[in-house]
Amino acid sequence: MAYSKPFPLLPLLSIAVILALHTPMAAAQLRHFCANFATSPPDSRFQKNLNTLLGNLSSNTPRNGYSSGTAGKCTDKVYGLALCRGDVSTTDCKSCVADATTKIRELCPKNNGGIVWYDNCLLKYSQDDFFGEIDDVNKFYMANGEEAKDPKSFMQKTKELLTRLADKAALLKSSYAAGVEDIGGSVTLYGLTQCTRDLSAEDCKKCLYNAIAELPQCCGTAKVGGRVIQGSCNFRYETYPFYKGA
């Protein structure tokens, strides 16, 4: 579980499959969930601590693409982290996290937990200590509408590429890996895997392996692009360059 206590989602914010465009997305907001296990008024000590934490995350994350922290004490303590995609620039990271810290307050104004994903970053907070725990509760899928011409072979090679990148990401300090694979027929497959850096190498690998196992749910028989995006890790693959350096 992602938290020491469950992080249930509001009923209208269940896991969704979203059809993605065939063009690379900018730093658009992808999805958000608000926790419904507790709320507090805007003038409460918890919400004031949350404002402090979000300000710290906005300031600290662009330095190396990741930061985590706490604010407050006892029952008013809040935990949070922010992560930028491994290939984005410091400027884009700063912009994305700044947007996320503002947007999460609008989306979850009274909630004691929330998570928002952008194409370039992730931001999450909770009243419960979730550091070092795999969050596979908060997740969603995105898939390209186009089908591969040779479904069985395509999905096998996709799984092989993502597994290789998962192994690599788990061993790196950045917890991020990207790579390409020539799968024949003039088709090149591009892949990306990433974990939040509070996870151990073992748990990063476990999180990504579990996400890869959801390829059928995410991407049907053989969509030519797709993502499984969770609170602690994510992967993406496409048949076009979608990350910097590809």
Side-chain angles (χ1 to χ4, degrees), residues 183-197:
I183 61 175
S186 300
V187 177
T188 301
L189 190 63
Y190 299 82
L192 176 157
T193 59
Q194 185 170 24
C195 298
T196 55
R197 298 181 206 169

Side-chain angles (χ1 to χ4, degrees), residues 143-193:
N144 191 305
E146 184 181 346
E147 295 280 350
K149 294 181 179 179
D150 185 351
K152 185 175 181 180
S153 175
F154 182 88
M155 291 309 285
Q156 179 60 36
K157 291 178 180 179
T158 297
K159 185 175 181 180
E160 290 173 358
L161 172 62
L162 293 174
T163 300
R164 174 165 58 83
L165 294 176
D167 292 342
K168 184 177 180 180
L171 296 176
L172 296 174
K173 185 177 180 180
S174 64
S175 300
Y176 165 86
V180 299
E181 184 75 29
D182 183 355
I183 61 175
S186 300
V187 177
T188 301
L189 190 63
Y190 299 82
L192 176 157
T193 59

